[in-house]
Amino acid sequence: MLPVSQVIRNRRTIKPTQYSQRDVDEAIVNELLENANWAPTHGMTEPWRFTVFCGDARIRLAEFLADTYKSLTTEETFKQKKYDGMRANATCAPVVIAIGMKRQASEKISLLDELLAVACAVQNMHLTAAAYGLGGFWSTNVAATSTQMRDFIGLEENDQALGLFYLGYPQGDWPESSRGSVEAKVRWVRD
């Protein structure tokens, strides 16, 4: 197992069109989901909800995304390339995980806290994927975050669909990346 700092710095957003056709073992997907389940959660609400699409279910997801995108756009805002991309992405990735946020009934915990808890869960999935040499891509397009998607994945009215996490082995070499200096982004206050 790689040291955590190396996994964090090695994590990459890799889009579905860059995935190979290699299947992702279900045990690895289960480990991603288990690690997501251990994200920080204020008030122990554990608001994350996941729906895993694999096999032929990805075709149904692809059609849903394309149809939903078309229904949510006007003639002026519709883009054929985006429509085609939504359909293709769902079938290029061996596994697609719909991300949802289950709102606490009492709403005692703030919406922001709940959303950030789900984001932490997705980061745990992404880091686990990187540790296994898997690329991930969290898409928050208009169809993936719509109320239609919320309903499609079985969530309720106060819940939210927060996008799709595409998962697959990259074609070719692992991509390189870099970041600007952390010093330019940090301010220390000492007194």
Side-chain angles (χ1 to χ4, degrees):
M1 173 89 42
L2 297 172
V4 70
S5 291
Q6 188 175 349
V7 173
I8 290 168
R9 294 173 192 175
N10 198 44
R11 184 216 52 81
R12 295 289 177 272
T13 293
I14 302 173
K15 295 188 176 180
T17 55
Q18 299 169 304
Y19 296 157
S20 72
Q21 292 301 306
R22 182 177 167 193
D23 286 334
V24 177
D25 190 296
E26 193 170 312
I28 294 173
V29 176
N30 284 325
E31 186 169 348
L32 262 71
L33 296 168
E34 184 64 35
N35 288 347
N37 196 44
W38 283 91
T41 170
H42 190 64
M44 296 300 292
T45 59
E46 302 178 31
W48 42 82
R49 298 295 183 270
F50 303 109
T51 304
V52 181
F53 294 89
C54 53
D56 289 342
R58 296 170 305 140
I59 297 167
R60 192 170 81 237
L61 175 63
E63 294 302 319
F64 169 82
L65 290 169
D67 292 346
T68 301
Y69 172 73
K70 194 170 197 173
S71 76
L72 293 172
T73 55
T74 64
E75 193 173 305
E76 295 80 35
T77 60
F78 178 84
K79 293 182 173 70
Q80 187 67 44
K81 185 176 180 180
K82 188 170 276 260
Y83 174 86
D84 294 340
M86 284 188 195
R87 179 172 290 181
N89 281 345
T91 56
C92 287
V95 177
V96 184
I97 303 171
I99 303 162
M101 187 272 306
K102 179 78 175 156
R103 189 72 170 109
Q104 180 188 34
S106 71
E107 297 186 6
K108 178 183 174 187
I109 304 302
S110 75
L111 177 60
L112 181 60
D113 281 335
E114 299 289 59
L115 294 169
L116 295 175
V118 175
C120 288
V122 174
Q123 179 71 349
N124 283 1
M125 287 196 312
H126 214 155
L127 293 174
T128 305
Y132 280 101
L134 287 158
F137 170 53
W138 185 1
S139 173
T140 55
N141 66 61
V142 65
T145 57
S146 66
T147 56
Q148 293 90 327
M149 176 60 82
R150 178 200 67 198
D151 297 344
F152 184 71
I153 60 175
L155 295 173
E156 297 175 11
E157 186 177 346
N158 288 335
D159 305 337
Q160 291 185 25
L162 298 178
L164 299 167
F165 188 74
Y166 296 93
L167 184 67
Y169 289 99
Q171 298 174 25
D173 295 333
W174 193 258
E176 295 292 323
S177 188
S178 64
R179 294 290 189 273
S181 168
V182 72
E183 287 82 13
K185 301 165 190 154
V186 176
R187 184 173 71 100
W188 289 82
V189 180
R190 298 186 194 274
D191 13 19

